[in-house]
Amino acid sequence: MSVPLVFDGKVVIVTGAGGGLGREYALAFGVRGASVVVNDLGGDIKGGGKSSNAADKVVEEIKAKGGKAVANYDSVEDGEKLIQTALDAFGRIDIVVNNAFINTFACISDLIHRVHLRGSFMVTRAAWNHMKKQKFGRIIMTSSAAGIYGNFGQANYSAAKLGLLGLANTLAIEGQKYNIHCNTIAPTAGSRLTETVMPPVLCESLKAEYVAPLVLWLSHDQCQENGGLFEVGAGWIGKLRWERSQGRIVRKKNQGMFPETVRDQWDNICDFTNATKPANINESVATLVEVLSRVETDEGIAPNPTSAMATAASGISPAVGQKLPESTFSYSQTQCILYALGVGMSTKDDDHLKFLYEGHEDFSCLPTFGVIPSQAAMMDGGLGSVPGLNFDFTRLLHGEQYLELFKPLPTSGTLTSQARIADVLDKGSGAVILLDVHTYSGKELLCYNQYSLFIVGAGGFGGKRTSDKSTVTHPNRTPDAVMTDTTTRDQAALYRLSGDWNPLHIDPSFAAMGGFKSPILHGLCSFGFAARHVLKQYANNDASRFKSIKVRFVKPVLPGQSLQTEMWKEGNRIHIQCKVSSFIMVVWNCPLTRGLKSELVFAEIGRRIKDLGAEMVKKVNAVFGWEITKGGDIAAQWTIDLKTGAGALHKGPYSGKTDVTITVSDGDFMEVVQGKLNPQKAFFAGKLKVRGNIMLSQKLEVILKDYAKL
């Protein structure tokens, strides 16, 4: 068995823990080191009466097994009292398991909602600020199949239980940045409530102990699941998600919408072929924004705009399992040294010499050189040769990289790589191709790479969203070690000599077409910097101690910037975060014309247009008008012309015609560009008004890329 999960130092409250599921949770937490507050009102199954016996008995059971526990007899509606019990006894609160419930068949509706929904809310609210301050919290809500699917005669209970799911989903979003995770379970287990309606044999098969392991995993600090919904029982666990049909647009511009049209399109509206699976409100709203654009351009009654993309993307699925042509990579010690220089190694550091000098007694190849032979499998049109892999390669981004070594890499030789499409994931806004590459020396397996390649705009085909290998969030504490290196202005030019010839990293005009002011550093170059920092800090540059590494690429790095790697050691695993170490410009400290903060942003936009030149005009080909308001009145007007000549920024009224005009207040504009206000939410809240072709506004990301997606 793998390393056991323990809860040493953690404090958990389990409501309704006097029996059944709650008792099982409390005992399991206690055995694994948590300090447990056992809450139980001591009432009967109808919610009446009150006794301390149930909670006291469970506390004694925990203590008898060497655990720490105290009892609490308050109603869950008195949430503050429950949390205070935890603080008084143990000084903190880390985990809340909202489990308290009463018999739905014998209770009035008000009591059902007070115990199930309001009670869970009150206990969670009381714990929330404590969790925020300590930057950690785990919350479990208990829904039910009746809440998810409905059940005859349980309207009051079903409403309360589904309400808990809505509460949990919002808490998951609000708590994410504080490392507070909230998940929902819908358990089926035998208890004093179900034993009256289930046969004894069935109750025995649905033991509470078959539910508790899921609750413990979702409550552990290693678990990064957040906002999930799970059915669990009898030793089985399944995750649920929403699904949405492609739908139909049933109105035309400047015309009414009629029930007869809905009737005629009903089968198409309800057709779940190529269904999408929106995972958040942004993905949900994005479709409506595109619908508005299609109505505005008078495309008429038509399928949901995502259907074309989904249909095209579904053509990717036959590619799963397809093999790419085998590739061969021959290299000498020169390539090993060149790679080491490309990822920042230098003779100024004595311990780097073993990777830079072929005459060194311990001359070695850096472990991350393992990505270089595997790249040959993708070059020269390798991916494009796979039948069924139909997408625009210009929309390809490198999302993640996994590398595993089975033995140290030789410093020279001829290697062969075998690549296959392992999977295709549906991320909604795009598709992810997982490419497995195994590299051999003769018949001996040296290393394994998995490339995660994101294809913008190719999602929505109904595939699974996640893979088995995933990056995990670093621990919520100060790094154990930090190393910083400064890349050179020619770092990308040097690294590309190892085999990645993408002109994005060397040609300014090509980089401009991608929306960058200058060529950017290879993601696998910064990958190499971070990996060698770990190798030096924790393995004394001993390449034989390297096993594997998985990273996610988040933001571009420019040659000349400093890379800072933060490291956390936990057992034999090192968590890392590599980021650019630089100064941050605080825009609100600058003097602004007429008191408008947006002035500075438009000034920066003007500089970018001047830098990007005619190539950007070819790429965007649109004129954007801006009306910045203050106090309800238009305070400034700007026009971004990326349609004429080499592009231009105009201030004041514009005599020509704009393709799209955006009206927004100065304050909301700054909230958007700083990433504090989601543009889609602003649009639907009436804070951001758009006239003309709304979809063209997406192209503004090119010139506002360092601020936000507008």
Side-chain angles (χ1 to χ4, degrees):
M1 182 179 290
S2 57
V3 178
L5 298 175
V6 295
F7 292 85
D8 296 344
K10 294 292 190 288
V11 178
V12 56
I13 288 179
V14 182
T15 66
L21 286 167
R23 171 182 172 274
E24 194 65 38
Y25 303 156
L27 292 175
F29 277 115
V31 166
R32 291 175 179 263
S35 300
V36 186
V37 175
V38 179
N39 163 261
D40 201 283
L41 190 62
D44 58 30
I45 62 173
K46 299 180 182 180
K50 186 173 183 179
S51 168
S52 64
N53 292 340
D56 290 342
K57 184 177 179 181
V58 176
V59 168
E60 291 306 315
E61 287 185 82
I62 293 173
K63 289 182 176 179
K65 295 181 179 182
K68 294 177 286 186
V70 296
N72 174 275
Y73 320 113
D74 294 301
S75 165
V76 287
E77 289 189 89
D78 296 320
E80 293 286 354
K81 293 182 179 179
L82 274 71
I83 302 303
Q84 194 58 50
T85 298
L87 299 177
D88 291 343
F90 305 117
R92 61 186 289 129
I93 176 64
D94 299 286
I95 302 163
V96 171
V97 181
N98 290 297
N99 171 74
F101 60 109
I102 54 177
N103 190 341
T104 124
F105 304 106
C107 294
I108 60 173
S109 177
D110 179 58
L111 187 55
I112 287 284
H113 283 262
R114 281 165 43 201
V115 172
H116 291 270
L117 183 53
R118 177 175 168 77
S120 297
F121 168 76
M122 295 300 289
V123 175
T124 303
R125 184 174 73 171
W128 189 259
N129 284 336
H130 298 286
M131 292 178 172
K132 280 177 62 176
K133 290 178 182 177
Q134 66 198 23
K135 293 292 194 297
F136 178 85
R138 295 292 184 267
I139 300 165
I140 306 295
M141 296 293 182
T142 306
S143 185
S144 74
I148 298 168
Y149 306 109
N151 194 31
F152 183 84
Q154 290 187 279
N156 55 354
Y157 178 75
S158 298
K161 285 301 189 181
L162 194 58
L164 282 167
L165 177 59
L167 173 61
N169 287 344
T170 295
L171 292 179
I173 295 169
E174 294 180 353
Q176 179 73 40
K177 65 181 179 180
Y178 302 108
N179 193 27
I180 302 174
H181 296 173
C182 185
N183 292 284
T184 305
I185 64 169
T188 301
S191 68
R192 60 177 179 158
L193 301 185
T194 57
E195 66 186 8
T196 60
V197 294
M198 288 184 178
V201 175
L202 183 56
C203 278
E204 179 63 23
S205 300
L206 297 174
K207 293 181 180 179
E209 64 191 68
Y210 298 150
V211 176
L214 172 62
V215 172
L216 266 68
W217 168 238
L218 291 175
S219 301
H220 200 272
D221 55 12
Q222 288 182 17
C223 181
Q224 296 304 305
E225 183 69 36
N226 189 25
L229 170 62
F230 301 88
E231 287 186 287
V232 54
W236 170 87
I237 302 169
K239 186 173 183 179
L240 282 75
R241 64 185 180 189
W242 295 105
E243 186 175 67
R244 181 173 66 184
S245 73
Q246 291 290 332
R248 281 297 187 274
I249 299 173
V250 293
R251 73 180 179 94
K252 293 184 177 181
K253 184 179 180 181
N254 299 325
Q255 294 185 16
M257 178 174 166
F258 307 101
E260 291 80 10
T261 313
V262 177
R263 175 199 62 198
D264 296 343
Q265 292 290 329
W266 191 247
D267 288 345
N268 290 324
I269 291 170
C270 299
D271 183 0
F272 277 85
T273 302
N274 293 325
T276 61
K277 298 171 179 64
N280 54 57
I281 196 168
N282 291 335
E283 291 183 13
S284 173
V285 169
T287 296
L288 298 182
V289 173
E290 192 163 354
V291 165
L292 291 173
S293 174
R294 295 192 60 150
V295 171
E296 183 68 26
T297 55
D298 204 21
E299 295 187 27
I301 297 174
N304 181 345
T306 59
S307 63
M309 179 178 71
T311 302
S314 64
I316 293 176
S317 55
V320 175
Q322 293 283 340
K323 295 181 179 180
L324 278 65
E326 185 175 279
S327 63
T328 301
F329 179 79
S330 296
Y331 67 104
S332 67
Q333 56 199 23
T334 302
Q335 279 74 31
C336 295
I337 296 170
L338 194 60
Y339 174 81
L341 292 169
V343 296
M345 301 211 95
S346 170
T347 55
K348 69 181 181 182
D349 295 304
D350 292 340
D351 57 352
H352 288 189
L353 201 58
K354 64 184 291 187
F355 300 106
L356 299 174
Y357 175 41
E358 71 283 1
H360 194 282
E361 60 181 353
D362 294 321
F363 180 55
S364 305
C365 184
L366 272 174
T368 48
F369 182 77
V371 302
I372 301 300
S374 67
Q375 284 183 142
M378 294 189 297
M379 301 300 176
D380 302 321
L383 277 176
S385 67
V386 178
L389 204 58
N390 305 316
F391 63 87
D392 182 358
F393 280 87
T394 65
R395 301 175 71 82
L396 184 149
L397 302 172
H398 194 172
E400 297 183 352
Q401 182 74 25
Y402 177 78
L403 167 65
E404 182 174 358
L405 294 190
F406 299 98
K407 64 176 299 182
L409 298 170
T411 55
S412 63
T414 298
L415 309 180
T416 57
S417 292
Q418 299 173 1
R420 62 183 288 274
I421 307 298
D423 209 345
V424 180
L425 309 179
D426 183 358
K427 294 294 186 178
S429 60
V432 171
I433 296 175
L434 298 182
L435 180 68
D436 283 352
V437 186
H438 291 82
T439 300
Y440 299 83
S441 176
K443 294 184 178 180
E444 185 176 33
L445 179 62
L446 288 184
C447 63
Y448 160 65
N449 280 270
Q450 184 177 83
Y451 291 81
S452 176
L453 307 172
F454 186 79
I455 317 302
V456 179
F461 56 92
K464 65 181 184 179
R465 293 184 66 89
T466 58
S467 65
D468 296 332
K469 296 182 180 68
S470 59
T471 54
V472 295
T473 303
H474 61 73
N476 185 30
R477 56 182 169 83
T478 303
D480 299 321
V482 177
M483 292 186 68
T484 302
D485 263 321
T486 301
T487 64
T488 69
R489 183 68 180 83
D490 297 317
Q491 200 74 57
L494 180 59
Y495 181 84
R496 69 189 299 269
L497 299 180
S498 290
D500 189 337
W501 304 104
N502 189 337
L504 174 67
H505 307 293
I506 190 71
D507 185 344
S509 61
F510 193 91
M513 291 175 64
F516 300 101
K517 292 177 64 176
S518 60
I520 62 174
L521 195 63
H522 304 70
L524 286 177
C525 181
S526 53
F527 165 85
F529 269 80
R532 67 173 181 78
H533 286 165
V534 176
L535 193 68
K536 179 174 182 177
Q537 179 67 32
Y538 291 106
N540 195 29
N541 278 333
D542 182 355
S544 67
R545 295 180 62 188
F546 180 97
K547 183 179 187 300
S548 63
I549 182 172
K550 172 79 183 252
V551 302
R552 177 183 297 118
F553 301 110
V554 179
K555 293 183 179 180
V557 177
L558 299 178
Q561 291 182 318
S562 294
L563 289 173
Q564 177 177 292
T565 304
E566 299 173 340
M567 295 166 269
W568 295 261
K569 188 175 188 300
E570 294 203 336
N572 64 350
R573 170 175 288 189
I574 310 299
H575 300 265
I576 64 172
Q577 175 174 271
C578 186
K579 59 187 181 182
V580 171
S581 177
S582 61
F583 294 104
I584 299 174
M585 180 178 69
V586 184
V587 300
W588 49 86
N589 283 343
C590 301
L592 304 174
T593 305
R594 300 186 62 193
L596 296 179
K597 296 180 180 180
S598 56
E599 293 272 350
L600 184 66
V601 177
F602 282 102
E604 175 62 16
I605 290 172
R607 286 191 290 272
R608 294 184 186 194
I609 292 174
K610 187 176 295 185
D611 291 340
L612 295 174
E615 289 296 332
M616 187 56 62
V617 172
K618 293 179 182 178
K619 184 179 181 67
V620 177
N621 191 32
V623 179
F624 305 92
W626 287 88
E627 295 175 344
I628 305 297
T629 66
K630 191 168 186 178
D633 298 323
I634 295 178
Q637 291 176 286
W638 297 89
T639 304
I640 302 173
D641 183 354
L642 293 177
K643 201 172 189 177
T644 309
L649 175 70
H650 304 279
K651 184 176 182 181
Y654 184 62
S655 58
K657 181 182 177 182
T658 61
D659 295 295
V660 59
T661 299
I662 301 172
T663 304
V664 62
S665 73
D666 184 62
D668 289 335
F669 176 83
M670 294 304 296
E671 289 276 299
V672 169
V673 298
Q674 292 174 28
K676 297 177 181 179
L677 176 63
N678 182 284
Q680 292 176 354
K681 290 182 179 179
F683 175 79
F684 281 96
K687 295 181 177 181
L688 189 151
K689 299 177 181 178
V690 182
R691 303 192 305 273
N693 188 345
I694 190 173
M695 296 310 295
L696 284 176
S697 62
Q698 295 183 3
K699 294 189 176 182
L700 284 170
E701 181 184 351
V702 173
I703 53 176
L704 292 178
K705 200 172 186 72
D706 291 344
Y707 289 101
K709 295 181 178 179
L710 186 59

Coordinates of all heavy atoms in Angstrom, one line a residue, residues 424-476:
V424 N -6.9 12.2 -26.2 CA -7.3 13.6 -26.6 C -8.3 14.0 -25.6 O -9.3 13.3 -25.3 CB -7.9 13.6 -28.0 CG1 -8.3 15.0 -28.4 CG2 -6.9 13.1 -29.1
L425 N -8.0 15.1 -24.9 CA -8.9 15.6 -23.8 C -9.7 16.8 -24.3 O -9.2 17.6 -25.1 CB -8.0 16.0 -22.6 CG -7.0 15.0 -22.1 CD1 -6.2 15.6 -20.9 CD2 -7.7 13.7 -21.7
D426 N -10.9 16.9 -23.8 CA -11.8 18.0 -24.1 C -11.8 19.0 -23.0 O -12.3 18.8 -22.0 CB -13.2 17.5 -24.4 CG -14.2 18.6 -24.8 OD1 -13.8 19.7 -24.9 OD2 -15.3 18.2 -25.1
K427 N -11.2 20.2 -23.3 CA -11.1 21.2 -22.2 C -12.1 22.3 -22.5 O -12.1 23.4 -21.8 CB -9.7 21.9 -22.2 CG -8.6 20.9 -21.8 CD -8.8 20.5 -20.3 CE -7.6 19.7 -19.8 NZ -7.7 19.3 -18.4
G428 N -13.1 22.1 -23.4 CA -14.1 23.1 -23.6 C -13.6 24.1 -24.6 O -14.1 24.2 -25.7
S429 N -12.7 25.0 -24.2 CA -12.2 26.0 -25.0 C -11.1 25.5 -26.0 O -10.7 26.2 -26.9 CB -11.5 27.2 -24.2 OG -10.5 26.6 -23.4
G430 N -10.7 24.3 -25.9 CA -9.8 23.7 -26.7 C -9.6 22.2 -26.5 O -10.2 21.7 -25.6
A431 N -8.8 21.6 -27.3 CA -8.5 20.2 -27.1 C -7.1 20.0 -26.7 O -6.2 20.8 -27.1 CB -8.7 19.4 -28.4
V432 N -6.8 19.0 -25.9 CA -5.4 18.7 -25.5 C -5.0 17.3 -26.1 O -5.7 16.3 -25.8 CB -5.3 18.6 -24.0 CG1 -3.9 18.1 -23.6 CG2 -5.5 20.0 -23.4
I433 N -3.9 17.3 -26.8 CA -3.4 16.0 -27.4 C -2.3 15.6 -26.4 O -1.4 16.3 -26.1 CB -2.9 16.2 -28.8 CG1 -4.0 16.6 -29.7 CG2 -2.2 14.9 -29.3 CD1 -3.5 16.9 -31.1
L434 N -2.4 14.3 -25.9 CA -1.3 13.8 -25.1 C -0.5 12.8 -26.0 O -1.0 11.8 -26.5 CB -1.9 13.0 -23.9 CG -2.8 13.8 -23.0 CD1 -3.2 12.9 -21.8 CD2 -2.0 15.0 -22.4
L435 N 0.7 13.2 -26.2 CA 1.6 12.5 -27.1 C 2.7 11.7 -26.2 O 3.5 12.4 -25.5 CB 2.3 13.4 -28.0 CG 3.3 12.8 -29.0 CD1 2.6 11.9 -30.0 CD2 4.1 13.9 -29.7
D436 N 2.7 10.4 -26.3 CA 3.6 9.6 -25.5 C 4.8 9.3 -26.5 O 4.6 8.8 -27.6 CB 3.0 8.3 -25.1 CG 2.1 8.4 -23.9 OD1 2.1 9.5 -23.3 OD2 1.4 7.5 -23.5
V437 N 6.0 9.5 -25.9 CA 7.2 9.2 -26.7 C 8.2 8.4 -25.9 O 8.6 8.8 -24.8 CB 8.0 10.5 -27.2 CG1 9.1 10.1 -28.1 CG2 7.0 11.4 -27.9
H438 N 8.5 7.2 -26.3 CA 9.4 6.3 -25.6 C 10.7 6.3 -26.5 O 10.7 6.0 -27.7 CB 8.9 4.9 -25.5 CG 7.7 4.7 -24.6 ND1 6.4 5.0 -25.0 CD2 7.7 4.4 -23.3 CE1 5.6 4.9 -23.9 NE2 6.3 4.5 -22.9
T439 N 11.8 6.5 -25.8 CA 13.1 6.6 -26.5 C 14.0 5.5 -26.0 O 14.2 5.2 -24.8 CB 13.8 8.0 -26.1 OG1 12.9 9.0 -26.6 CG2 15.1 8.1 -26.8
Y440 N 14.7 4.8 -27.0 CA 15.5 3.6 -26.8 C 16.9 3.8 -27.3 O 17.1 4.5 -28.2 CB 14.8 2.4 -27.5 CG 13.4 2.1 -27.1 CD1 12.3 2.7 -27.6 CD2 13.2 1.0 -26.2 CE1 11.1 2.4 -27.2 CE2 11.9 0.7 -25.8 CZ 10.9 1.4 -26.3 OH 9.6 1.0 -25.9
S441 N 17.8 3.1 -26.6 CA 19.2 2.9 -27.1 C 19.2 1.4 -27.4 O 19.3 0.6 -26.5 CB 20.2 3.3 -26.0 OG 21.5 3.0 -26.5
G442 N 19.1 1.1 -28.7 CA 19.0 -0.3 -29.1 C 17.6 -0.8 -28.7 O 16.6 -0.2 -29.0
K443 N 17.6 -1.8 -27.8 CA 16.3 -2.3 -27.3 C 16.1 -1.8 -25.9 O 15.0 -2.2 -25.3 CB 16.3 -3.8 -27.3 CG 16.3 -4.4 -28.8 CD 16.2 -5.9 -28.7 CE 16.1 -6.5 -30.2 NZ 16.0 -7.9 -30.2
E444 N 17.0 -1.1 -25.3 CA 16.9 -0.6 -23.9 C 16.2 0.7 -23.8 O 16.5 1.7 -24.5 CB 18.3 -0.5 -23.3 CG 18.3 -0.2 -21.8 CD 19.7 -0.2 -21.3 OE1 20.6 0.2 -22.0 OE2 19.8 -0.5 -20.1
L445 N 15.1 0.7 -23.0 CA 14.3 1.9 -22.8 C 15.1 2.9 -21.9 O 15.4 2.6 -20.8 CB 13.0 1.6 -22.2 CG 12.0 2.8 -21.9 CD1 11.7 3.5 -23.2 CD2 10.8 2.3 -21.1
L446 N 15.4 4.1 -22.5 CA 16.1 5.1 -21.7 C 15.2 6.1 -21.0 O 15.4 6.4 -19.8 CB 17.0 5.9 -22.6 CG 18.3 5.2 -23.2 CD1 19.1 6.2 -24.0 CD2 19.1 4.6 -22.0
C447 N 14.2 6.6 -21.7 CA 13.3 7.6 -21.1 C 12.0 7.7 -21.8 O 11.8 7.1 -22.9 CB 14.0 9.0 -21.2 SG 14.3 9.6 -22.8
Y448 N 11.0 8.3 -21.1 CA 9.6 8.4 -21.5 C 9.2 9.9 -21.4 O 9.4 10.5 -20.3 CB 8.7 7.5 -20.7 CG 7.3 7.9 -20.8 CD1 6.5 7.8 -22.0 CD2 6.6 8.3 -19.6 CE1 5.2 8.1 -22.0 CE2 5.3 8.6 -19.6 CZ 4.6 8.5 -20.8 OH 3.2 8.9 -20.9
N449 N 8.7 10.4 -22.4 CA 8.1 11.8 -22.4 C 6.7 11.8 -22.7 O 6.2 11.0 -23.5 CB 8.8 12.7 -23.5 CG 10.2 13.2 -23.0 OD1 10.3 14.2 -22.4 ND2 11.2 12.4 -23.4
Q450 N 5.9 12.7 -22.1 CA 4.5 12.9 -22.5 C 4.4 14.4 -22.7 O 4.6 15.2 -21.8 CB 3.5 12.4 -21.5 CG 2.1 12.6 -22.0 CD 1.0 12.1 -21.0 OE1 0.6 12.8 -20.1 NE2 0.5 10.9 -21.3
Y451 N 4.0 14.7 -24.0 CA 3.8 16.1 -24.3 C 2.3 16.4 -24.2 O 1.5 15.6 -24.7 CB 4.3 16.4 -25.8 CG 5.7 16.4 -26.0 CD1 6.4 15.2 -26.1 CD2 6.5 17.6 -26.0 CE1 7.8 15.2 -26.3 CE2 7.8 17.6 -26.2 CZ 8.5 16.3 -26.3 OH 9.9 16.3 -26.5
S452 N 1.9 17.5 -23.6 CA 0.5 17.9 -23.5 C 0.4 19.1 -24.4 O 1.0 20.2 -24.1 CB 0.1 18.3 -22.1 OG -1.2 18.8 -22.0
L453 N -0.3 19.0 -25.6 CA -0.3 20.0 -26.6 C -1.8 20.5 -26.7 O -2.7 19.8 -27.0 CB 0.1 19.4 -27.9 CG 1.5 18.7 -28.0 CD1 1.7 18.0 -29.3 CD2 2.6 19.7 -27.6
F454 N -1.9 21.8 -26.4 CA -3.2 22.4 -26.3 C -3.6 23.1 -27.7 O -2.8 23.8 -28.3 CB -3.3 23.5 -25.3 CG -4.6 24.1 -25.1 CD1 -5.6 23.5 -24.3 CD2 -5.0 25.4 -25.6 CE1 -6.9 24.0 -24.1 CE2 -6.2 25.9 -25.4 CZ -7.2 25.2 -24.7
I455 N -4.7 22.7 -28.3 CA -5.2 23.2 -29.6 C -6.3 24.2 -29.3 O -7.4 23.8 -29.0 CB -5.7 22.1 -30.5 CG1 -4.7 20.9 -30.4 CG2 -5.8 22.6 -31.9 CD1 -3.3 21.2 -30.8
V456 N -6.0 25.5 -29.5 CA -7.0 26.5 -29.2 C -8.2 26.3 -30.1 O -8.1 26.2 -31.3 CB -6.4 27.9 -29.4 CG1 -7.5 29.0 -29.1 CG2 -5.2 28.1 -28.4
G457 N -9.5 26.4 -29.5 CA -10.7 26.3 -30.3 C -11.1 25.0 -30.8 O -12.1 24.9 -31.5
A458 N -10.5 23.9 -30.3 CA -10.8 22.6 -30.9 C -11.6 21.7 -29.8 O -11.7 20.5 -30.0 CB -9.6 21.8 -31.3
G459 N -12.1 22.4 -28.8 CA -12.8 21.6 -27.7 C -14.3 21.4 -28.0 O -14.8 21.7 -29.1
G460 N -15.0 20.9 -27.0 CA -16.5 20.8 -27.1 C -16.9 19.5 -27.8 O -18.0 19.5 -28.3
F461 N -16.0 18.5 -27.9 CA -16.4 17.3 -28.6 C -16.9 16.2 -27.6 O -17.2 15.1 -28.1 CB -15.3 16.8 -29.5 CG -14.0 16.6 -28.8 CD1 -13.7 15.3 -28.3 CD2 -13.1 17.6 -28.7 CE1 -12.5 15.1 -27.6 CE2 -11.9 17.4 -28.0 CZ -11.6 16.2 -27.5
G462 N -16.9 16.5 -26.3 CA -17.5 15.5 -25.4 C -16.5 14.5 -24.8 O -16.9 13.5 -24.2
G463 N -15.2 14.7 -24.9 CA -14.2 13.8 -24.4 C -14.0 14.1 -22.9 O -14.5 15.0 -22.3
K464 N -13.1 13.2 -22.3 CA -12.8 13.4 -20.9 C -11.9 14.6 -20.7 O -11.2 15.1 -21.6 CB -12.2 12.2 -20.3 CG -10.8 11.8 -20.9 CD -10.2 10.6 -20.2 CE -8.8 10.2 -20.7 NZ -8.3 9.0 -20.1
R465 N -11.9 15.2 -19.5 CA -11.2 16.5 -19.2 C -9.8 16.3 -18.6 O -9.0 17.3 -18.7 CB -12.1 17.4 -18.3 CG -13.4 17.8 -19.0 CD -14.1 18.8 -18.0 NE -13.4 20.0 -17.8 CZ -13.5 21.1 -18.6 NH1 -14.4 21.1 -19.6 NH2 -12.9 22.2 -18.4
T466 N -9.5 15.2 -18.0 CA -8.3 15.1 -17.3 C -7.5 13.9 -17.6 O -8.1 12.9 -18.1 CB -8.5 15.2 -15.7 OG1 -9.4 14.1 -15.4 CG2 -9.2 16.5 -15.3
S467 N -6.2 13.9 -17.3 CA -5.4 12.7 -17.6 C -4.9 12.2 -16.2 O -5.2 12.8 -15.2 CB -4.1 13.1 -18.4 OG -3.3 14.0 -17.7
D468 N -4.3 11.0 -16.3 CA -3.8 10.4 -15.0 C -2.7 11.1 -14.4 O -2.6 11.3 -13.1 CB -3.4 8.9 -15.3 CG -4.5 8.1 -15.8 OD1 -5.7 8.4 -15.4 OD2 -4.3 7.1 -16.5
K469 N -1.8 11.7 -15.2 CA -0.6 12.4 -14.6 C -1.0 13.9 -14.6 O -1.2 14.5 -15.6 CB 0.6 12.2 -15.5 CG 1.1 10.8 -15.5 CD 2.4 10.7 -16.4 CE 2.9 9.3 -16.4 NZ 2.1 8.4 -17.2
S470 N -1.0 14.4 -13.4 CA -1.3 15.8 -13.3 C -0.4 16.5 -12.3 O 0.1 15.9 -11.4 CB -2.8 16.0 -12.8 OG -3.0 15.4 -11.6
T471 N -0.2 17.8 -12.6 CA 0.6 18.6 -11.6 C -0.2 18.8 -10.4 O -1.4 18.8 -10.4 CB 1.1 19.9 -12.2 OG1 -0.1 20.6 -12.7 CG2 2.0 19.7 -13.4
V472 N 0.5 19.0 -9.3 CA -0.2 19.3 -8.0 C 0.3 20.6 -7.5 O 1.4 21.1 -7.8 CB 0.1 18.2 -7.0 CG1 -0.5 16.9 -7.4 CG2 1.6 18.0 -6.7
T473 N -0.6 21.2 -6.7 CA -0.2 22.5 -6.1 C 0.9 22.4 -5.1 O 0.9 21.4 -4.3 CB -1.5 23.1 -5.5 OG1 -2.5 23.2 -6.4 CG2 -1.2 24.5 -4.9
H474 N 1.8 23.3 -5.0 CA 2.9 23.3 -4.1 C 2.3 23.5 -2.6 O 1.2 24.1 -2.5 CB 4.0 24.3 -4.4 CG 3.5 25.7 -4.4 ND1 3.2 26.4 -3.2 CD2 3.3 26.6 -5.4 CE1 2.8 27.6 -3.5 NE2 2.8 27.8 -4.8
P475 N 3.0 23.1 -1.6 CA 2.6 23.2 -0.2 C 2.3 24.7 0.1 O 3.0 25.6 -0.4 CB 3.7 22.7 0.6 CG 4.4 21.7 -0.3 CD 4.3 22.3 -1.7
N476 N 1.4 24.9 1.0 CA 1.0 26.3 1.4 C 1.9 26.8 2.5 O 1.5 26.9 3.7 CB -0.5 26.3 1.8 CG -0.9 27.7 2.1 OD1 -0.4 28.7 1.5 ND2 -1.9 27.9 3.0

